Every structure is written in C-alpha cells, then in structure tokens.
Amino acid sequence: MKSVLLLLSLIGVMACQSENAGTPDLKPEVVQTECAYPGLAGTPQAGYVLGTAARYTTINGEAIFQHDIILRPEDITAEPVGAQTTGRTRQTAKWPNKIVYYLIDPALPNPSRVYSAMSHIEANTAIRFVARTTQRGYVQFRNGSGCSANVGYSGSLQYVNLGIGCTTGNAIHEIGHAIGLWHEHTRSDRDQFIRINYDNIVNGYSYDFDTYVVQGYDGFDYGNQLDLSSVMMYGPYDFSKNGLPTITRRDGSIYTIQRNGLSPLDIATINAMYP
C-alpha cells in the first residue's frame, strides 16, 4: 500500500475552463469541458479513496476528482482500510440488470437535455433508464454550479449535477460516469497515443491527468487505441496555466473534442461492460 500522500501546499488553485480557451487556431465553436464548480477555486487534499491513496479537491464541502467526478464522503479515509477499488471492472459498480433508475429534480432547468441524453444512450447501448419508485439505488438529476457526477453504481442515492450551461452532450458525458466510464485520457495505454504536458497544467492538478492505474483505480481499456472522438475525452487546452496545450497527440499536434454524443468506441465499451 502506498504511503499517505502529503497535503498539497497550494491553496485556491485555478478552476475549470472551456476546451478552446486561448486557442484561436481551433474551430470557433466552443466545447465545454465538464467541471463541477466553474470559476471557483478549491483546496487540494490527500487521503485514501476506497483504500487507495488518492488526491482530490474540496469545494463547497464536496470532494471533487478530475474536476467533474464527485467522491462520496464514506469513500474517503485518512488511513487505508483495505484493498478496495471502484470503477468499470468491479461488478458491484455496475447497474444491476443494465437498468439505471432515476429521478429528475423538479427544480432542474431544461430537463429535456436529460431525456435527450438518456434517449441517445438507450438507442445505442443496452442501458435502460427507468423512473425510480422505491428502489434504493438511483441517480438524481439536479441543478448545480456545473456538470458533475459519481462514477459507477453506488447502491444508494447518487447525483448527476447539471448547471444551466451544461448541454445535452455534457449530460451524456456525466451519465457516462454514472454508468462507470472514466475519462478517456486516463487509459492505461494512453502514452502510446497522446502526450501529457505536465509543465502546462495548473499547479496542484497534474494528478487529474494520470492514468487510472497510476491513480490506483481499477478499469479496462476497450479497443486497441485511445479514442480522441470519445465523449469522455479532455480537450487539448483543458486546465492550462499558461495558454499552452496540456494534451497533444504524440507528434505534438492539436486535436478537437466533441460533445455531440457517444462515439462508436464509447458505444462498444459500454456494451462490453453491460453485455
């Protein structure tokens, strides 16, 4: 087991930004990268998440991982409590019978984006969404400062937070987390396809660009290459501290991301998780 990570000294790190910020050479339309609290700084923390040493940021009393993943309070301890993991390969983190029970908060603006996102996922995968009645495990879609969600099935109430600026594509991304998808750039084989420019990342956030293996989580890589068109992919300038790219292709060139819907590889991955 790894030793306890020291608390990072930087307080009040830069919050999230859009994918095209500072990149006039890219196409003019802006794809918003998901972020739990846009415009708000957070406090870096360190501890054990489900028994694995991890770093995260606290904002408004919530533990945020990779900017839009919400960690549950019961998952975080100061000391290791056993070798547990959470993620795409743990059976208990998958929704039983491929059914996601849900509730939409009446206060959520523009609920049609949720219905559109669910319809898109149902049309392309084996996942089905059913309105919650008395089920203990379900996801609630509610208003938030930005876009965020828990990863995988928790067996109890969990949230997908959608601020007013979160689009249908952002909702698809967050539901992807809820059913168990990690960010595409954290694949274990990603260094064969992309380069992470750690010197350009906002101080204190470099760990959000590590692979899920380095971070101590379980998972699997479907397909034989990283998918730059994945709805779960970070943008090349996300969380840059100096306007220079944080992620490029191996040859140093810039790519674009999309939030139009699941890519073919996203669909194949979900169907492999939920056969």
Side-chain angles (χ1 to χ4, degrees), residues 57-235:
T57 300
T58 55
I59 307 177
N60 284 354
E62 287 192 310
I64 307 298
F65 179 65
Q66 290 185 8
H67 307 292
D68 72 327
I69 295 174
I70 304 170
L71 299 176
R72 292 178 287 270
E74 60 269 26
D75 293 339
I76 303 169
T77 59
E79 299 292 338
V81 293
Q84 304 178 65
T85 55
T86 184
R88 299 186 293 184
T89 55
R90 188 162 62 91
Q91 190 61 38
T92 54
K94 298 178 183 179
W95 289 81
N97 303 314
K98 311 171 192 176
I99 298 175
V100 177
Y101 292 100
Y102 73 92
L103 176 69
I104 298 180
D105 190 319
L108 177 71
N110 188 18
S112 62
R113 54 190 164 153
V114 175
Y115 291 114
S116 295
M118 293 192 297
S119 295
H120 172 76
I121 293 171
E122 284 192 333
N124 290 283
T125 74
I127 296 293
R128 293 296 176 261
F129 298 89
V130 176
R132 185 244 183 184
T133 53
T134 60
Q135 291 78 17
R136 183 175 182 273
Y138 67 101
V139 60
Q140 179 177 342
F141 294 89
R142 65 179 182 177
N143 191 25
S145 298
C147 322
S148 57
N150 304 114
V151 175
Y153 175 72
S154 71
S156 59
L157 170 61
Q158 60 192 87
Y159 297 103
V160 169
N161 299 310
L162 298 173
I164 191 65
C166 301
T167 64
T168 296
N170 296 137
I172 293 171
H173 177 106
E174 296 305 341
I175 295 173
H177 281 319
I179 61 179
L181 293 178
W182 294 117
H183 288 124
E184 184 71 7
H185 75 277
T186 67
R187 283 176 63 110
S188 64
D189 62 353
R190 61 91 184 277
D191 290 335
Q192 299 177 38
F193 310 103
I194 58 174
R195 177 179 290 113
I196 307 298
N197 301 308
Y198 285 99
D199 289 344
N200 298 333
I201 298 171
V202 173
N203 295 336
Y205 277 169
S206 62
Y207 55 88
D208 282 349
F209 289 77
D210 291 338
T211 68
Y212 64 80
V213 175
V214 171
Q215 293 165 351
Y217 290 97
D218 66 304
F220 73 100
D221 300 327
Y222 191 86
N224 57 9
Q225 64 180 8
L226 179 142
D227 182 15
L228 291 175
S229 65
S230 170
V231 77
M232 307 304 293
M233 184 66 191
Y234 267 21

Side-chain angles (χ1 to χ4, degrees), residues 14-56:
M14 183 182 295
C16 313
Q17 61 190 33
S18 297
E19 181 243 334
N20 285 6
T23 58
D25 54 317
L26 296 183
K27 60 183 182 180
E29 56 267 29
V30 172
V31 177
Q32 175 182 321
T33 301
E34 294 74 19
C35 181
Y37 291 97
L40 291 182
T43 302
Q45 303 281 356
Y48 283 85
V49 178
L50 292 173
T52 299
R55 287 175 286 182
Y56 55 93

